[in-house]
Structures are given as C-alpha cells and as structure tokens.
Amino acid sequence: MQFPLVSRSGRIRKLVAEHRDSDISRVELLNLPGGAETFELAAKFCYGINFEITSSNVAQLCCVSDYLEMTEEFSKDNLGSRAEEYLESIVCKNLEMCVEVLQQCENLLPLADELKIVSRCIDAIASKACAEQIASSFSRLEYSSSGRLHMNRQAKCDGDWWIEDLSVIRIDLYQRVMTAMKCRGVRPESIGASLVNYAQKELTKKSSLWNPSGHTKIDLLSTDHERIVVETIVSLLPVEKLAVPITFLFGLLRSAVMLDCSIACRLDLERRIGSQLDIATLDDLLIPSFRHAGDTLFDVDTVQRILVNFSQQDDSEDDMDDASVFESDSPHSPSQGALFKVSKLVDNYLAEIAPDANLKLAKFMAIAETLPTHARTIHDGLYRAIDIYLKAHQGLPDADKKKLCKLIDFQKLSQEAGAHAAQNERLPLQSIVQVLYFEQLRLRNALCCSYADDDRKPVNHQSWRISSSALSAAMSPKDNYASLRRENRELKLELARMRMRLNDLEKEHVCMKRDMAKSSSRKFMSSFTKKIGGLSLFGHSSSRGSSSPSRQSYRTDSKVIERTCASTD
C-alpha cells in the first residue's frame, strides 16, 4: 500500500524511514497545501489513476508536489514536473487561465509566492494585456484623405476585455497585477477603467458606501476590507488627468471620509480633484459630513482644501508674449476659463450650504475667499449665497454682517441684482448706500449714452475708470499686465498722432497769419475762426473714442495717459 507513495514522494519516504524499526500504520502531514482533496489527486497520480490537470487545480498540484517533494530526483516524470509544464505551456499563454490560477493561489500563500506561481501569472497577464492593446491600436490605424496615417478615435477598442476578468482577484493580488501593467506600458485610460470597475464591485456591496445621499454612520469594525480597497485603489490611480472620471474621484473621497482612511489617501484625492475642479458639478461637491450630530450637514473643510489645491495649481496655459517678466518664482494660477467655471461652482455651493444652521461665519467666508479676486466677473451668485446665509442666520451681529458683505463688489452686480440689493433690508445700511451709489453712476452713464450723436462722443472719464477697474479686477495678473501694456502702446501712438496734428496746425496757423497780414478783412477772419473751431485735437483714430477739444478735456486725458504710462513702464 505504501510503496507507490514512497517511491514518488521524498517527504513520505523520509517519514517512513524514520519509523522503520516500528510498525508504522499512520503518517501525519501537517499544513498540507490544498487539503485532503489535493492530496487525493497526488495519491491518484502515484497509483497511476488518470485525472486531468486544469487551471483550477494546477496551483494546488504545484504546491502539494513541492510539499511532498514529488520531484524528478525520486521519480522520472513526477507530479511536480507535470504541473510545472502545464503551468508554463498552457496557463501562461492564456489570460483567463492566469486569472483563475491567481484566484486559487489566494489560499496557497506564501508557498505559491515562493514557487513563483503568482509572479509568473502576473507577468503573463500584464504581457498579454499589453500585447492585445497594441494589436487593437494597430487595428484602429487608417489613412486619411490626405494620405496621412492616423488613429481612428471612433473605432471600438477591443483590447480592454480583461477588465471584467480582473475584478474577481483579491485586492492584494490585484494591486500587483495593476503595478505590473503600469510597468508594461498599458494605457492610463485602461488602468483607470479597471480601477473604476473593481471599486464599484467591491464598494457597492455596502450600499451606503457608494451612495452620496447616505448620511448614516456605519460600523467601522466591519469595514476593514473596504478601507484597504479604497486606499489601494487611490495608490494605483494614474498620474494623468482624466484617466478616471472626476465623479469617481469624488466617490472615492466620500468613501475615504466615511471609512476614516489614512490622511495621505484623502489628501491625494483632494489634490487630484483640485487639479480638475473646473469639470466638477455641484452634486460632486456635496460631500456628507460623517462626524457628530452638531457638525455641518456637508463636509465644508474638505471642500475648502480642494479649492486651495485648485487655486495653487500651476498654470499650464501661459500664452503671454513677454513671459520673461514673470519669473519662475511668481505665483502660479489656474487659467482664466477654469477660474470662471469654478467661481460659479463655488457660488452655487455656498448657496447650497448657506441655510445650514451649524455653518459658522468663518467657514462660510473662508470658502468664499479661497478664490482670487479676479475669479468673479460678476457677483450675482455670491450676493445670492450671502443673502441666503443672512436670511438663515437672522441673529448675526451687525459687525459680522458688515464683514460678510465686504466680500461683495457691488459694482459687479447686474442691474437686476442691484435693484434687489437696494431694497434688501437684510443688508447693512452701508452696503445699501454703496449699491445706490453705483446704481446712480450706472444710470448717469446710461443717460449720457442715450444723448450720443451719430459720431462718437467723448467718454465720461469717471465711467471709463469704473469700467476699466472692473475689467482689470476680472483679469488674472498676467492678463491684466498684458492689457496694460497694450493700452500703453495705444496711448503712445495716440500721443504721436497728436504731435503730428499739432505740427500741422502750427504750420497752417503761420500761413494764415501771413495771409492775415496781407488781407485784414473781417470775412477772412470769420472763415478762419470757423475752420479752427471745427478741428478736433484727438482726431478720429483714438482707441478710446474722440475727445472734446476743450482744454479741460485735454488736461484730463493727459493725466490719464501719464498715469497709465507710469504704471506700466
């Protein structure tokens, strides 16, 4: 009975040899890989009973043959070599089989790792996925009408079918597979799609984890696995932007907050979200607060950190003509288009959280002040949010109301918002006075424009300064500097034209005096006076519109020119 096992297994041979003098009837095998079922297969092999080696048992056979020492040293063509041959020639050539073997290895660690079963399957999966992705990319190449080779973006990419297969692997092995794929050069979009698929399968097992509207605190003792999944997936996220949807990043962040993941994990998510906040929606920002009952309804602190990350990101859209003016140590800022989008998003977020009775004034103002002053071209959204906050917090002291209303630039309110603010009893008296003042200026300018002739009339300099300051405030520092330089160049050109025109007038005046000396008739003097009175000092080429020929207008425009040139030079 014992002979077939002894002849093929070195371990059993040693155990029998140790008890040769005694009548041994039982051999105990401790910690046998794969248990009784795997030992039964090994015994069948020793006794010559045929069975099939498959991807569902090859990992167990490799491990049990190593444990029982069923190698070529004890018997030719032994179980160990048979299992190794099947693993190398069959399993490692097929991605689905490799995934199945990895699943079997989950209960065979660390022995499966020591025998390099896991590493060989992982390398095979990464190589196979990369090769199929390259082949799929080549299939999408086509020639354009001009004869140039390009990639057809609309063609379906079939190289990522493995994403669904990998979602069944345990998280620690999945992490190793994704790391190997990154090293092999698999596309970031494919890595991201796999991470999204894996996270949705693992984290939606508890509905409250992936449901943004879930506000109930769950038992953290039963969420160790989910916490590991979130932290692992965050560590695997590609560095490239848009590799995963921003909604998915917010979903991970909600889970990280709820599961109390590591600080490094949450900060990494906040940084990634901040770098592409301009494509986020209001629903994304509404992160529930999972602390104590007296806290705010939404996690305001997390949103504030995301806004800080957005404001401090590098500006990659530097299209300035004179970039040498801004040195490398200059503060970077997002593009102006992204700022406009985020400013609207922040104003809507402020309006959403304003009715919360637990929201402190300091937190509300901190979020409103995170963006730079030039981010908002119009303050209607900010005014609406502040009005909602004042309505929900009627017991706010007057000093706090004044402090809050200082955030609003009443000069940037639309006509409708200004009319509402002028009658808003919740605003401090000082703010209402400012609103009325700017509304009066706007009405005066509108009346001046209504009396304009077909020819362009001189622009009121007070009105021009107000609109210019509003435009300047709406620009980023770099755009503002470029605008000032352009205005400076235009004013210098205008001064040159003025000098040429004055020279012409002086020459004409000399000729007229000579003619006057010859003829002192009143008729000629009357004609001369009309001609001089009809001449415009600035002509019709001014970029600001024609100006009045009066001395007062000339002095005013000269001061504006000198002040602008001094500020830009």
Side-chain angles (χ1 to χ4, degrees):
M1 289 290 293
Q2 297 174 354
F3 181 76
L5 292 173
V6 171
S7 64
R8 290 183 179 270
S9 172
R11 189 183 189 93
I12 294 180
R13 180 179 299 185
K14 292 176 183 177
L15 291 174
V16 172
E18 290 174 359
H19 300 83
R20 181 175 299 177
D21 297 336
S22 60
D23 186 12
I24 182 172
S25 61
R26 181 178 178 180
V27 175
E28 187 175 2
L29 300 174
L30 300 175
N31 301 321
L32 182 72
E37 293 181 0
T38 305
F39 180 77
E40 183 180 356
L41 292 178
K44 285 182 178 181
F45 177 82
C46 293
Y47 282 94
I49 302 175
N50 292 331
F51 67 91
E52 185 180 4
I53 300 178
T54 65
S55 56
S56 61
N57 62 23
V58 65
Q60 291 91 329
L61 292 176
C62 286
C63 291
V64 77
S65 62
D66 179 80
Y67 178 86
L68 295 175
E69 299 179 17
M70 300 178 68
T71 62
E72 297 298 304
E73 179 183 352
F74 301 99
S75 176
K76 186 178 180 181
D77 205 15
N78 211 340
L79 181 61
S81 59
R82 291 278 189 93
E84 284 288 336
E85 182 182 1
Y86 184 85
L87 185 66
E88 289 291 338
S89 60
I90 304 297
V91 173
C92 290
K93 299 292 191 298
N94 187 285
L95 191 145
E96 297 100 321
M97 286 187 174
C98 287
V99 172
E100 189 175 359
V101 170
L102 282 182
Q103 281 186 281
Q104 302 300 324
C105 288
E106 293 175 1
N107 299 320
L108 299 172
L109 296 174
L111 183 57
D113 233 344
E114 295 174 1
L115 298 177
K116 299 187 183 302
I117 301 174
V118 175
S119 59
R120 281 182 287 178
C121 288
I122 288 175
D123 290 341
I125 291 173
S127 300
K128 190 70 175 175
C130 185
E132 293 195 7
Q133 193 170 84
I134 292 174
S136 176
S137 299
F138 276 119
S139 67
R140 295 161 61 196
L141 290 175
E142 60 182 24
Y143 286 96
S144 63
S145 57
S146 60
R148 299 185 64 181
L149 195 64
H150 72 286
M151 184 78 70
N152 186 358
R153 300 285 181 183
Q154 298 180 350
K156 184 180 179 181
C157 181
D158 299 323
D160 296 341
W161 56 267
W162 45 265
I163 290 176
E164 189 66 28
D165 294 332
L166 294 182
S167 61
V168 299
I169 306 176
R170 202 170 67 183
I171 184 62
D172 54 338
L173 298 178
Y174 177 80
Q175 181 181 19
R176 293 172 62 177
V177 172
M178 288 294 104
T179 303
M181 284 189 171
K182 284 184 177 182
C183 295
R184 291 281 185 175
V186 176
R187 286 194 299 262
E189 296 82 5
S190 302
I191 298 291
S194 179
L195 293 173
V196 171
N197 184 70
Y198 191 91
Q200 288 177 342
K201 284 197 170 184
E202 290 295 319
L203 299 180
T204 51
K205 292 177 181 178
K206 286 183 170 54
S207 59
S208 58
L209 277 178
W210 206 249
N211 184 9
S213 62
H215 297 275
T216 58
K217 188 74 172 180
I218 60 175
D219 183 11
L220 293 180
L221 296 177
S222 63
T223 59
D224 290 340
H225 172 69
E226 286 79 7
R227 185 184 302 111
I228 294 173
V229 169
V230 171
E231 292 179 354
T232 302
I233 289 178
V234 171
S235 68
L236 292 172
L237 288 172
V239 296
E240 292 81 3
K241 289 184 180 180
L242 306 180
V244 295
I246 192 170
T247 304
F248 174 69
L249 294 178
F250 274 104
L252 284 177
L253 184 58
R254 289 190 187 94
S255 299
V257 172
M258 177 184 292
L259 297 168
D260 197 22
C261 291
S262 64
I263 295 177
C265 171
R266 282 178 281 179
L267 292 179
D268 188 16
L269 284 171
E270 292 169 7
R271 179 185 58 81
R272 290 176 183 273
I273 292 173
S275 66
Q276 46 188 315
L277 188 60
D278 53 306
I279 61 174
T281 64
L282 177 59
D283 290 337
D284 293 331
L285 282 182
L286 298 178
I287 304 172
S289 180
F290 299 101
R291 297 175 185 172
H292 49 80
D295 201 0
T296 55
L297 184 63
F298 298 105
D299 193 340
V300 179
D301 295 331
T302 297
V303 173
Q304 183 185 357
R305 289 193 297 270
I306 291 174
L307 288 172
V308 170
N309 278 286
F310 169 77
S311 301
Q312 294 179 349
Q313 65 177 317
D314 291 342
D315 185 6
S316 58
E317 300 180 5
D318 185 8
D319 54 356
M320 292 292 295
D321 295 334
D322 190 5
S324 61
V325 178
F326 299 96
E327 302 296 338
S328 59
D329 57 350
S330 299
H332 296 286
S333 60
S335 65
Q336 195 64 35
L339 273 176
F340 291 162
K341 293 178 182 179
V342 174
S343 66
K344 293 181 180 179
L345 179 64
V346 170
D347 291 345
N348 290 332
Y349 178 76
L350 289 172
E352 191 72 24
I353 65 175
D356 192 343
N358 294 327
L359 181 61
K360 303 299 182 184
L361 178 64
K363 287 189 176 183
F364 184 88
M365 293 185 63
I367 292 181
E369 292 176 326
T370 304
L371 297 180
T373 55
H374 61 272
R376 295 180 176 90
T377 54
I378 187 169
H379 276 218
D380 286 15
L382 181 60
Y383 165 71
R384 171 174 168 265
I386 290 177
D387 185 43
I388 295 174
Y389 187 87
L390 292 174
K391 186 176 181 179
H393 300 78
Q394 297 183 5
L396 204 64
D398 291 341
D400 290 341
K401 289 183 179 180
K402 292 179 181 179
K403 187 189 303 182
L404 183 60
C405 290
K406 284 182 179 180
L407 298 175
I408 306 174
D409 187 348
F410 293 101
Q411 192 173 340
K412 294 183 180 180
L413 291 181
S414 64
Q415 186 173 357
E416 294 77 11
H420 183 277
Q423 304 177 33
N424 193 344
E425 297 179 353
R426 289 184 288 271
L427 295 180
L429 181 60
Q430 183 180 5
S431 299
I432 297 178
V433 171
Q434 292 183 37
V435 173
L436 294 175
Y437 172 72
F438 288 120
E439 286 299 308
Q440 184 181 13
L441 286 180
R442 181 181 297 166
L443 180 61
R444 183 189 304 170
N445 294 332
L447 290 174
C448 291
C449 293
S450 65
Y451 290 110
D453 297 329
D454 293 337
D455 295 334
R456 184 175 295 177
K457 290 292 183 180
V459 181
N460 183 276
H461 299 294
Q462 186 177 14
S463 171
W464 180 85
R465 285 196 295 271
I466 291 174
S467 61
S468 177
S469 63
L471 180 62
S472 176
M475 293 181 176
S476 65
K478 296 182 181 181
D479 295 337
N480 193 15
Y481 180 81
S483 176
L484 288 174
R485 290 193 61 185
R486 286 193 297 269
E487 292 176 7
N488 189 21
R489 287 195 294 267
E490 293 172 0
L491 290 171
K492 288 181 178 180
L493 289 173
E494 186 62 37
L495 286 173
R497 295 190 189 99
M498 288 168 54
R499 293 191 186 98
M500 294 176 63
R501 186 62 177 162
L502 287 173
N503 289 335
D504 293 340
L505 288 173
E506 289 176 356
K507 292 178 181 179
E508 191 171 354
H509 182 60
V510 170
C511 294
M512 288 181 179
K513 286 180 67 176
R514 188 182 303 115
D515 293 338
M516 287 171 60
K518 296 179 180 179
S519 174
S520 57
S521 65
R522 290 187 176 181
K523 185 177 181 180
F524 181 79
M525 281 296 296
S526 176
S527 175
F528 169 74
T529 303
K530 290 180 180 179
K531 188 174 183 180
I532 286 293
L535 291 174
S536 174
L537 186 61
F538 288 93
H540 295 283
S541 60
S542 173
S543 62
R544 299 274 178 203
S546 60
S547 300
S548 172
S550 66
R551 294 181 180 179
Q552 181 64 30
S553 176
Y554 177 77
R555 287 197 299 269
T556 304
D557 283 279
S558 298
K559 291 179 181 178
V560 173
I561 293 169
E562 292 172 1
R563 183 164 58 254
T564 307
C565 294
S567 65
T568 56
D569 289 339

